[in-house]
Amino acid sequence: MNIALCAPRHLDSALAWRPQGAVSLRQFLADAQALAALLPASPWLLNVCQDRYHFAVGLVAGMLGGKTSLQPASQSAETLAQLAHAYPGALCLHDTPFEAGEIPCLAYPETLAAPLEPVTAVPDFPAGFIAVILFTSGSTGQPKPQAKSWGDLVLSAQAQAARLGQDRQPHAIVGTVPVQHSYGFESTLMLALQGGCSFWAGKPFYPQDIATALAAVPEPRLLVTTPFHLSALLNAEIPLPPVQMLLSATAPLSTELAARAEARCAAPVLEIYGSTETGQLASRRTTAGDIWQLMPGTRLEQRDDITLAHGSYIPEPLPLGDIVELCGPDTFRLLGRNNDLINIAGKRTSLAYLNHQLTSIPGVQDGAFYLPDEEKPDGISRLTAFVVAPDLSREALLAQLRQRLDPVFLPRPLQLLAALPRNSTGKLTREALLDLHRQCQPAR
């Protein structure tokens, strides 16, 4: 069975918004066809385009040529080297200066040729075609590939569109999150394609940039963001154009922050719950309480201490990394998060992965990352790293980590120690790390 690239819509309707104005679905498909003609034969496409429109064109151009999009959570030199080894023949498509190591690169063209024939139809793709491979960090410290078929991606997007009402009243989407990552990919690009929405091409980060992007798209508007970006936007206290809905994920959203946002925008704030492995599973309106409602077509099953996710777009039952309490056939309450998984500024990794990268640095005898429990007033989580490396300076260690990690995961601060307080079994407990953290705090 083949499934269309997008929900039924007119070819001349706006699919994307750029500083120059609207881009129609017809023009988008013409750009994708033109780019597809420039891509060499290869099963893999590493699409690191920062412009959301460029990424979308690259994704569809690759699909037209039977290519699977590789979307790692990190673009560090270490990750790129692993991808080059695991996916030989991969091509990197970029629109900003980018070093991909051993992977050959192609810059997104400044101009694309006009189609030889007018675009008159929307392409479709086999439901079983692996359109993208997302990556998440596992306990071994190695990124785990998560293959997503086109059919599953479409079902997931349709479920989200129905839950958010986008299938009835499509919005213009402005996303502050990277389109390569699961949340950004599902809630900006896939929601636009399968929910009848349009999307802003950029990825605004600073509050004024977010306000400018919102003003550049028509109402109704949907802001897809994170608690980190939302907190910064509200604290800036700058004028905002009307926003009809806000969506948040990647980290728990406090009721206080959600209430501030709803009061400021006079619009509902909803959260998405899920993971790279399962995709989006549930949603809630944060100010309405702590009960999550499962997406259409999904269900949870508890076996002893494990909760398994099932769904029409989940090929096989998958265990959750969180502890949940089932409240009904399609509702649940989150009781706690797996302490090993962390989200900072919209990016997800594990402490095991960070520790693996730290201790892999030549000269490091021992080391561990630690994320304090206390919440910062500005909503920003800050990692600390404790390192035993007698012959390395703090500057040298940070330089090595910059080659291995995304900047948001660099430790602030990095503490050099003579030894770590491991117990008799060699374990470094969270309590021991907490004591170290307290000892290293500046005196007040």
Side-chain angles (χ1 to χ4, degrees):
M1 180 181 69
N2 282 14
I3 303 176
L5 175 68
C6 58
R9 62 196 299 171
H10 197 283
L11 281 170
D12 292 319
S13 64
L15 175 66
W17 298 91
R18 311 205 69 193
Q20 304 91 327
V23 181
S24 69
L25 174 60
R26 190 188 305 274
Q27 182 61 55
F28 171 79
L29 293 175
D31 288 347
Q33 290 177 10
L35 181 60
L38 301 177
L39 298 179
S42 168
W44 317 111
L45 182 66
L46 174 62
N47 189 342
V48 299
C49 288
Q50 297 302 298
D51 182 290
R52 207 174 302 267
Y53 181 78
H54 290 171
F55 175 90
V57 172
L59 173 77
V60 177
M63 292 174 64
L64 290 171
K67 295 174 173 57
T68 296
S69 177
L70 304 175
Q71 298 175 204
S74 167
Q75 294 174 3
S76 68
E78 178 80 6
T79 298
L80 294 172
Q82 293 171 0
L83 291 178
H85 175 75
Y87 301 94
L91 173 74
C92 176
L93 179 69
H94 63 91
D95 59 0
T96 57
F98 190 81
E99 295 292 335
E102 301 176 18
I103 303 176
C105 292
L106 174 68
Y108 190 96
E110 292 186 8
T111 58
L112 287 166
L116 296 177
E117 298 181 1
V119 174
T120 58
V122 173
D124 54 31
F125 303 94
F129 170 63
I130 302 301
V132 304
I133 297 180
L134 303 169
F135 292 80
T136 185
S137 297
S139 59
T140 62
Q142 299 297 323
K144 290 184 177 180
Q146 306 293 324
K148 305 289 183 176
S149 72
W150 177 241
D152 289 342
L153 289 172
V154 169
L155 288 174
S156 175
Q158 290 174 346
Q160 184 183 27
R163 173 58 52 81
L164 300 181
Q166 299 300 306
D167 55 343
R168 301 180 297 277
Q169 175 71 74
H171 287 41
I173 302 170
V174 172
T176 67
V177 289
V179 69
Q180 284 84 2
H181 299 175
S182 179
Y183 169 48
F185 180 70
E186 292 173 331
S187 296
T188 60
L189 181 52
M190 287 303 302
L191 185 58
L193 290 174
Q194 292 296 324
C197 302
S198 57
F199 64 90
W200 174 247
K203 185 184 66 177
F205 181 85
Y206 296 107
Q208 187 57 61
D209 295 335
I210 296 173
T212 301
L214 288 168
V217 302
E219 296 184 67
R221 302 179 178 102
L222 166 61
L223 177 61
V224 176
T225 189
T226 71
F228 169 79
H229 295 101
L230 185 58
S231 175
L233 180 63
L234 296 179
N235 290 339
E237 297 183 345
I238 59 175
L240 294 175
V243 179
Q244 281 67 39
M245 183 180 294
L246 297 93
L247 193 66
S248 179
T250 75
L253 178 65
S254 69
T255 303
E256 293 75 16
L257 182 57
R260 284 179 59 202
E262 290 196 348
R264 176 70 177 78
C265 300
V269 177
L270 292 94
E271 284 184 272
I272 291 288
Y273 171 80
S275 67
T276 305
E277 297 90 339
T278 63
Q280 51 205 352
L281 280 176
S283 67
R284 68 168 180 169
R285 183 171 180 176
T286 314
T287 56
D290 60 354
I291 301 298
W292 293 85
Q293 183 177 10
L294 288 168
M295 291 288 183
T298 64
R299 66 181 179 89
L300 298 181
E301 173 194 7
Q302 290 188 323
R303 299 179 187 172
D304 299 325
D305 295 331
I306 299 175
T307 302
L308 297 173
H310 303 255
S312 57
Y313 49 86
I314 303 174
E316 58 184 28
L318 291 173
L320 300 185
D322 299 311
I323 303 171
V324 306
E325 173 192 350
L326 299 184
C327 302
D330 62 353
T331 57
F332 66 92
R333 180 183 289 109
L334 276 175
L335 301 181
R337 301 187 68 84
N338 187 330
N339 287 333
D340 191 48
L341 298 178
I342 59 175
N343 289 281
I344 298 179
K347 296 189 176 182
R348 184 172 183 247
T349 189
S350 71
L351 290 173
Y353 176 77
L354 298 178
N355 292 339
H356 171 78
Q357 296 300 327
L358 177 60
T359 55
S360 296
I361 297 173
V364 172
Q365 298 177 2
D366 201 357
F369 275 77
Y370 174 72
L371 184 65
D373 287 330
E374 64 265 27
E375 294 185 0
K376 300 293 182 181
D378 58 6
I380 302 174
S381 300
R382 292 183 175 87
L383 285 159
T384 296
F386 303 105
V387 189
V388 180
D391 299 324
L392 295 177
S393 67
R394 184 177 286 104
E395 292 72 21
L397 285 165
L398 287 172
Q400 287 288 323
L401 287 172
R402 287 191 184 96
Q403 293 295 312
R404 297 166 175 266
L405 305 176
D406 282 314
V408 295
F409 299 124
L410 291 176
R412 301 174 178 86
L414 186 151
Q415 303 285 355
L416 294 175
L417 303 174
L420 296 185
R422 296 186 180 273
N423 61 22
S424 58
T425 63
K427 184 177 180 180
L428 188 62
T429 65
R430 183 166 178 81
E431 290 74 19
L433 287 170
L434 176 59
D435 287 339
L436 276 181
H437 175 68
R438 289 169 175 166
Q439 294 169 19
C440 294
Q441 295 303 299
R444 298 183 178 178

